[in-house]
Amino acid sequence: MRNPLGLILGCVVAALMIAGGWLFATSLRADQAAPQAMAAKPASPQPSSSTKLASADSNLTKDDLDITGSLSGKSTAQLAPLPLPVPQKSACANPDALGVARVVEIDTSGGPGFGFEHFKQLDFLTDKEVVLTFDDGPWPGNTPAVLKALDDECTKALFFPIGKHATYHPEILRQVLAQGHTIGAHTWSHANLNSKKMTEQQAKDEVEKGFSAVKMALGTAPSPFFRFPELQHNPSTMAYLGTRNIAVFSCDLDSFDFKRDSSADKIVNTVMTKVDKLGKGIILMHDFQKHTAEALPTLLRRLKAGGYKVVQMKAKTTMQTLPQYDEALLKDQKVPVASTRPVSSVVQTVSQ
């Protein structure tokens, strides 16, 4: 009995020793495996934040990339946000539109003159190039119709509004600006500045008050572009405009759309006959005239068919109106301070 009992006890002890050794070995392997997993080679590296920025916006400078790359552990977007996207010009819906061939920027220093009717020094148009200009607006019905015709052909023009008309219909003039056209001024009341009854101070007042009225209507400064009413250039006013760095516009050809016997067909034929003879030019029209608005769609198509291209003129700087005229105009017009609020914030339909 003793020998079998001792044999059994020996087996038990041996089993316990084997189990203990196995548990110890397992624990040791687990302890060694943990740091090996942490030190394992990472997966293939992803592009850094600075690399992503460089590929997303090629306008970022080297300094931008160096700064974002050196500050690890922080969000690159917070440190160097991408610049706001530049608004893209909307595509023209008309594939056969007249369009705009080129845009020229005018340095108005010293008051340069344009239009061969009176100024022959600055001949910047090439063959088959025209500049579309409109006087005497803004006016209900007619100006919006002119704007639609221009928009349908995806082209641009230069407008010379009368100051009084701008105060009557500022919402129309703001639409002219919103559609990307250039806006100058055409005096306050369309007075003949070359009249013998017109004093130098009165002529100056007509010019300055006209610009201030356009600025008030637009809510922003217009271009320093000016056209004399009836193209009656006054020498002293010309000299004054030069001191104010305002460019003066005559024309190369007049549509005579203001005449009483004018009609849409006559306007088209007059303009095309003259422009075909000259080969190019600054065209004088009036968005104040109903027949002009009626003629414009056909005229623009005729210009396109004739191979003519439109040039848009823009000023290098905006017009710097004189504070005394701005203030006097506001006082004369009795414009309330609260007028800056939009109608929708004052009046709302609650039941209909």
Side-chain angles (χ1 to χ4, degrees):
M1 294 291 293
R2 290 182 180 177
N3 290 335
L5 180 59
L7 182 58
I8 292 172
L9 290 174
C11 292
V12 171
V13 172
L16 290 175
M17 292 178 65
I18 293 172
W22 179 82
L23 289 173
F24 176 78
T26 302
S27 176
L28 181 60
R29 286 196 299 269
D31 292 339
Q32 293 175 343
Q36 289 176 354
M38 294 177 63
K41 182 180 179 181
S44 58
Q46 298 297 317
S48 65
S49 297
S50 59
T51 304
K52 290 179 181 178
L53 282 174
S55 62
D57 189 339
S58 59
N59 292 325
L60 284 176
T61 64
K62 182 178 182 298
D63 290 339
D64 294 329
L65 298 178
D66 288 344
I67 292 172
T68 56
S70 64
L71 296 174
S72 60
K74 295 185 179 181
S75 168
T76 305
Q78 293 176 352
L79 296 172
L82 292 174
L84 293 175
V86 178
Q88 298 297 317
K89 183 171 63 174
S90 59
C92 180
N94 181 358
D96 189 41
L98 177 60
V100 175
R102 66 182 176 122
V103 178
V104 296
E105 184 181 81
I106 306 301
D107 183 348
T108 62
S109 300
F114 298 93
F116 267 41
E117 282 285 333
H118 297 86
F119 312 108
K120 302 184 185 303
Q121 182 179 0
L122 300 174
D123 184 13
F124 70 97
L125 293 177
T126 62
D127 188 43
K128 293 286 186 176
E129 285 188 336
V130 297
V131 177
L132 306 172
T133 70
F134 296 90
D135 291 4
D136 295 359
W139 204 251
N142 301 339
T143 302
V146 167
L147 290 177
K148 183 182 184 306
L150 295 171
D151 188 57
D152 287 345
E153 290 294 330
C154 304
T155 194
K156 305 299 179 186
L158 171 53
F159 287 78
F160 293 98
I162 295 173
K164 279 188 176 181
H165 291 179
T167 63
Y168 297 160
H169 309 288
E171 73 288 349
I172 299 178
L173 194 58
R174 285 195 292 269
Q175 186 59 38
V176 176
L177 182 65
Q179 291 188 204
H181 302 288
T182 305
I183 300 176
H186 195 42
T187 72
W188 163 248
S189 66
H190 204 266
N192 183 346
L193 303 189
N194 202 32
S195 170
K196 293 181 179 180
K197 297 180 180 180
M198 179 72 61
T199 67
E200 287 190 20
Q201 183 60 48
Q202 288 174 331
K204 175 182 174 181
D205 292 344
E206 277 286 323
V207 171
E208 297 294 353
K209 194 174 180 181
F211 275 109
S212 290
V214 173
K215 178 183 176 181
M216 186 179 72
L218 292 175
T220 188
S223 298
F225 291 167
F226 180 80
R227 180 174 271 159
F228 280 82
E230 303 176 40
L231 301 182
Q232 291 291 313
H233 297 83
N234 179 303
S236 63
T237 307
M238 283 286 299
Y240 175 72
L241 292 168
T243 66
R244 295 282 284 121
N245 296 321
I246 299 171
V248 182
F249 282 75
S250 178
C251 68
D252 293 312
L253 61 102
D254 194 335
S255 67
F256 292 120
D257 57 352
F258 58 88
K259 290 190 173 182
R260 291 185 178 182
D261 63 345
S262 184
S263 66
D265 290 341
K266 190 170 184 178
I267 293 169
V268 172
N269 291 332
T270 297
V271 171
M272 292 308 303
T273 299
K274 291 182 177 181
V275 76
D276 284 341
K277 181 179 179 180
L278 295 174
K280 61 181 181 179
I282 298 174
I283 303 172
L284 170 57
M285 294 175 281
H286 298 79
D287 58 310
F288 179 76
Q289 300 293 335
K290 180 180 179 181
H291 292 313
T292 303
E294 294 171 343
L296 197 56
T298 301
L299 176 59
L300 296 179
R301 296 313 301 162
R302 288 279 299 274
L303 289 170
K304 170 70 174 179
Y308 291 96
K309 299 178 181 180
V310 173
V311 174
Q312 183 179 17
M313 300 180 71
K314 292 186 176 182
K316 186 176 181 179
T317 59
T318 57
M319 175 67 189
Q320 300 297 313
T321 58
L322 299 179
Q324 60 266 38
Y325 287 93
D326 293 343
E327 294 165 4
L329 186 63
L330 287 172
K331 184 178 179 181
D332 291 345
Q333 296 297 309
K334 297 180 175 60
V335 178
V337 176
S339 65
T340 57
R341 291 180 61 190
V343 174
S344 60
S345 71
V346 180
V347 181
Q348 293 186 359
T349 300
V350 296
S351 178
Q352 189 171 10

